[in-house]
Amino acid sequence: QKEVEQDPGPLSVPEGAIVSLNCTYSNSAFQYFMWYRQYSRKGPELLMYTYSSGNKEDGRFTAQVDKSSKYISLFIRDSQPSDSATYLCAMSENAGNMLTFGGGTRLMVKP
Amino acid sequence: DGGITQSPKYLFRKEGQNVTLSCEQNLNHDAMYWYRQDPGQGLRLIYYSQIVNDFQKGDIAEGYSVSREKKESFPLTVTSAQKNPTAFYLCASSRMAGAYNEQFFGPGTRLTVL
């Protein structure tokens, strides 16, 4: 079993839909959580960064962490075709550790 | 214009050959990383360096080697000992090592073994 699991998709939604992307993990010591967006044939770029549990909002994006369920989510409101990309979650036990990445979920937003 | 550059974008190698992938950054970052990305596997850490002339193995270092002679440069050599080298290779850098510091990624090199 992988330490961090993501549904690979592809997830196809119409423009304007609310998108929910999720990761589950097995290591209860993880407390730093990130979401990266990767466009095709490009390097990933950091979208959201949360520490421990709770929610964080940035524009159309909301990141949620539920440590009791070992589950994190990224919500995208009013999705746009430009949001079409692969979304990778990443996490770490503490600030000095390296990141453990999920396999990524491919999202397609259709006009 | 600050950032990370990787070259070449595409690389083809015959079996049994060593190849070196270039990574350069002008962000004045201390830490640099090499990842391998395979379909559905996410990013797996090959090597990382926290400071010049020092580097550590990541989760999948076998068959790879690195050097860090300059702060700006962190080349990766894929040796003939790497059993399945065909993959997308990503270089990243951060101000310091560790999850607290945002990693900035280069555009990647796609290596294909013929």
Side-chain angles (χ1 to χ4, degrees), chain A residues 2 8 32 34 36 38 41-46 49 86 88 91-92 94-104, chain B residues 9-10 33 35 37 40-45 48 59 88 90 97-108 110:
Chain A
K2 292 180 184 176
Y32 290 83
M34 290 113 187
Y36 281 82
Q38 184 177 23
R41 305 184 194 281
K42 303 286 185 184
E45 54 181 341
L46 183 66
Y49 178 4
T86 296
L88 299 151
M91 45 198 80
S92 175
N94 60 54
N97 279 17
M98 297 301 109
L99 295 172
T100 300
F101 283 84
Chain B
K9 190 171 182 179
Y10 298 96
Y33 313 79
Y35 291 93
Q37 187 174 30
Q41 295 278 341
L43 275 64
R44 292 183 289 169
L45 184 64
Y48 67 99
D59 299 320
F88 189 48
L90 286 159
Y100 191 72
N101 297 279
E102 179 180 355
Q103 293 186 22
F104 294 85
F105 286 83
R110 187 166 298 278

Side-chain angles (χ1 to χ4, degrees), chain B residues 8-70:
Chain B
K9 190 171 182 179
Y10 298 96
L11 186 57
F12 297 90
R13 185 194 98 174
K14 293 182 179 179
E15 282 193 30
Q17 287 182 336
N18 292 356
V19 288
T20 298
L21 282 58
S22 168
C23 178
E24 304 277 333
Q25 54 98 359
N26 61 4
L27 300 167
N28 199 31
H29 285 169
D30 284 321
M32 297 187 74
Y33 313 79
W34 273 105
Y35 291 93
R36 170 180 172 142
Q37 187 174 30
D38 297 282
Q41 295 278 341
L43 275 64
R44 292 183 289 169
L45 184 64
I46 304 172
Y47 270 97
Y48 67 99
S49 168
Q50 299 185 67
I51 199 167
V52 174
N53 292 322
D54 187 49
F55 47 83
Q56 286 79 40
K57 293 181 179 180
D59 299 320
I60 55 166
E62 185 175 351
Y64 300 98
S65 66
V66 294
S67 63
R68 186 86 186 277
E69 296 177 1
K70 298 186 300 181

